[in-house]
Amino acid sequence: MKFEYTKAFDLITSKVEEELKKSGYTREKVASDNDNELVALFTSTNVAYSVLYTIDKQQMLLRTCAMTEEGPDNEWRTLSTWLYDDVVSTQKDAESIANDFVEGVSGTVAIKRAKQTKQKKKKSDDGTADPRFLAKRFITLFPELREEIQTEEDCYYPFRGATFAKEHIAPKLIPYIKTANKKETEKLAGIFNTQYGNGDADTRSIITAVLINSMEDEEYQKLAEYFDDDLTRAAKFIRKYKGKEVKPEVPKKKKPSRLSTLRDQQG
């Protein structure tokens, strides 16, 4: 029984999304540039994957490219191409394509790439994603942030990461978590996990001290259920300071040395 290309596309992209979500990827809301294509985009801090169907050529493609601060660099490299003619193709054909694409984003090459990225990060003991990149990752959940980020960039330099997170991101979290279903909660937690894992020192501090500590216990517990081990440890530590003002350490006064005391007495 023939299977429409739109249904095939939905089946394939949902299976790819399910697999990539395990590695912290986020499915972005994107629209095709023309009526001849269907497109789905999945991003992490360093890598993007795209599933594309060209209607006139009847081709289903899996592509990848690198990520920049502004998003995918659009230097797409095709990993797999399949012909999908829905006049003769069936659901079984769509499932075969889906299995191949899933293997493409989770196979040996993809795992090796992820390990190499992790090893590089360990050497510097710090990530590279900055607070502005963090703010942009939340656009998928809160589209209005796009304009708010632009205003921040136009009015302030450098980007005030902590202030922006406190004023524009944190107030959106509790209402979102209160009404979020399991899938939506996992998606938000995935953003936190990925950005904490890949973020620089400022980004990590914003995630924990600003965003996580802006949540009430009910919302925090609901979201923390999906935190990975690193973020779970950091979150539990920072929650101890919620609502408390941490006083700066007062440096101890140095006691005068015996030699300087003798000099003062002689003087």
Side-chain angles (χ1 to χ4, degrees), residues 9-178:
F9 183 82
D10 289 341
L11 184 151
I12 293 164
T13 54
S14 65
K15 287 185 178 293
V16 171
E17 179 181 9
E18 183 180 354
E19 182 63 32
L20 286 174
K21 191 193 300 182
K22 298 174 186 177
S23 302
Y25 283 77
T26 300
R27 183 167 181 169
E28 309 286 0
K29 292 183 179 179
V30 293
S32 176
D33 293 334
N34 57 66
D35 296 333
N36 187 48
E37 295 178 346
L38 298 178
V39 62
L41 175 65
F42 309 91
T43 63
S44 68
T45 302
N46 301 314
V47 180
Y49 287 103
S50 172
V51 176
L52 179 74
Y53 181 72
T54 55
I55 298 171
D56 59 348
K57 295 181 180 179
Q58 298 178 323
Q59 287 183 340
M60 199 79 69
L61 295 87
L62 174 66
R63 310 178 302 169
T64 187
C65 74
M67 286 288 289
T68 70
E69 285 189 1
E70 304 302 322
D73 67 7
N74 289 323
E75 295 183 9
W76 294 103
R77 181 166 61 90
T78 300
L79 301 177
S80 184
T81 304
W82 287 69
L83 181 66
Y84 191 86
D85 179 359
D86 64 0
V87 173
V88 294
S89 298
T90 65
Q91 182 172 345
K92 187 176 180 180
D93 295 320
E95 289 173 349
S96 295
I97 297 172
N99 291 336
D100 178 68
F101 284 8
V102 166
E103 185 178 347
V105 300
S106 61
T108 305
V109 175
I111 293 171
K112 184 178 179 181
R113 186 185 303 122
K115 285 183 177 179
Q116 288 174 340
T117 302
K118 189 172 182 180
Q119 287 170 354
K120 287 178 183 177
K121 183 179 154 227
K122 280 186 176 178
K123 287 179 182 178
S124 64
D125 199 28
D126 196 8
T128 57
D130 62 16
R132 180 172 58 178
F133 188 89
L134 170 67
K136 290 182 177 181
R137 293 308 93 198
F138 287 96
I139 291 176
T140 58
L141 301 180
F142 313 116
E144 64 272 20
L145 280 175
R146 188 181 303 278
E147 186 174 340
E148 293 169 2
I149 291 171
Q150 187 61 56
T151 300
E152 174 73 20
E153 292 176 332
D154 290 344
C155 297
Y156 298 97
Y157 182 83
F159 187 86
R160 303 175 305 162
T163 299
F164 184 87
K166 181 179 179 180
E167 295 179 355
H168 297 281
I169 301 175
K172 297 176 172 63
L173 295 177
I174 290 181
Y176 178 88
I177 297 171
K178 279 183 179 294

Side-chain angles (χ1 to χ4, degrees), residues 185-202:
T185 305
E186 286 181 334
K187 182 175 182 179
L188 176 59
I191 294 175
F192 274 95
N193 289 332
T194 301
Q195 300 312 312
Y196 185 82
N198 293 291
D200 60 18
D202 288 339

